[in-house]
Amino acid sequence: DYIMNAMQSNKVGRAVPPPPPYKQIAKSIPFWALAVTSICQSWGFYTLQTNVPTYLNNIQHIPLTMNGIVSALPFLLNWLASIPIGLMADWLISSGTLKRGTSRKLMTSIGMGGPAIALLCLTFVGCDSELAITILCFALLTLGAALSGYMVNQLELSPNYAGTLKGATSTIANVCGFATPAIVGALTFGEQTLDAWNNVFIVSAALYFFGGLTFVLFGDTSIQSWNTYWVINDSNDETLPLLISQ
């Protein structure tokens, strides 16, 4: 009821936005920056999510009885860290300390750069299991900052079509969910060695760096003109409008 009442009180001549402007979205540089960042982050995340247990078992020789708990620990830290980081990001914006765009790019830089640096460091630890686990925890902990970075950018680019943008970027990015196990399998098949796994981590680190840099250079938090393409509106700022144009 609250949502419906709010929509009724805020509507101006149109209760529901018209169909998404697919051609304009496809030509939008900020949209593709968001998509590329999503793909790169998903590659690194799925690499860690689906392959860390294998790495810990075959390279770090952590017993299977402990593998599940140890593999889950970095992801638990990721969840716990994302909450205070999100609150801090909101405060930075609401207090005027940082502009919205600066805050999003800062959090994205932490969320993508942190895991990239950690994975590069992981290539130097050898078979030191305690150090490897510590580095993996750091990687996932810093990744939590991405939730307050590029991951909310759909709402900023287009409040009216955020669902469409989220669906499009997630569809593309989630291809990594089955692509990364296949690639990692190809890189390590019959060769469960440090060198083989180092190649896996270097690829993920490079994509993390590339995704973060892409968003910093080409990402945008301004509402795009096609958000309300059915009206004439020359404004281009970071002010989030109501669901329907005013």
Side-chain angles (χ1 to χ4, degrees), residues 29-44:
I29 292 178
F31 166 74
W32 284 110
L34 175 60
V36 168
T37 306
S38 298
I39 293 170
C40 293
Q41 189 276 336
S42 292
W43 183 280

Side-chain angles (χ1 to χ4, degrees), residues 87-98:
L87 293 173
M88 181 179 69
D90 285 345
W91 176 83
L92 289 173
I93 296 170
S94 62
S95 66
T97 304
L98 293 177

Side-chain angles (χ1 to χ4, degrees), residues 58-179:
N58 294 340
I59 303 300
Q60 300 303 335
H61 307 295
I62 294 178
L64 291 176
T65 53
M66 291 294 297
N67 201 317
I69 296 175
V70 173
S71 298
L73 180 60
F75 295 92
L76 175 62
L77 292 177
N78 173 264
W79 170 64
L80 292 174
S82 66
I83 299 172
I85 291 175
L87 293 173
M88 181 179 69
D90 285 345
W91 176 83
L92 289 173
I93 296 170
S94 62
S95 66
T97 304
L98 293 177
K99 291 184 178 180
R100 185 185 302 275
T102 304
S103 176
R104 296 293 182 237
K105 292 183 178 183
L106 173 62
M107 295 303 163
T108 299
S109 297
I110 296 172
M112 302 290 279
I117 294 171
L119 291 177
L120 288 179
C121 292
L122 199 58
T123 63
F124 295 100
V125 303
C127 292
D128 187 335
S129 59
E130 292 183 0
L131 182 56
I133 294 169
T134 300
I135 291 175
L136 287 170
C137 287
F138 175 80
L140 271 297
L141 186 147
T142 53
L143 181 60
L147 292 171
S148 302
Y150 82 92
M151 287 191 182
V152 296
N153 191 227
Q154 293 91 347
L155 283 167
E156 296 162 338
L157 294 180
S158 177
N160 288 335
Y161 300 108
T164 299
L165 301 187
K166 181 63 176 178
T169 54
S170 294
T171 298
I172 299 171
N174 283 326
V175 171
C176 299
F178 60 82

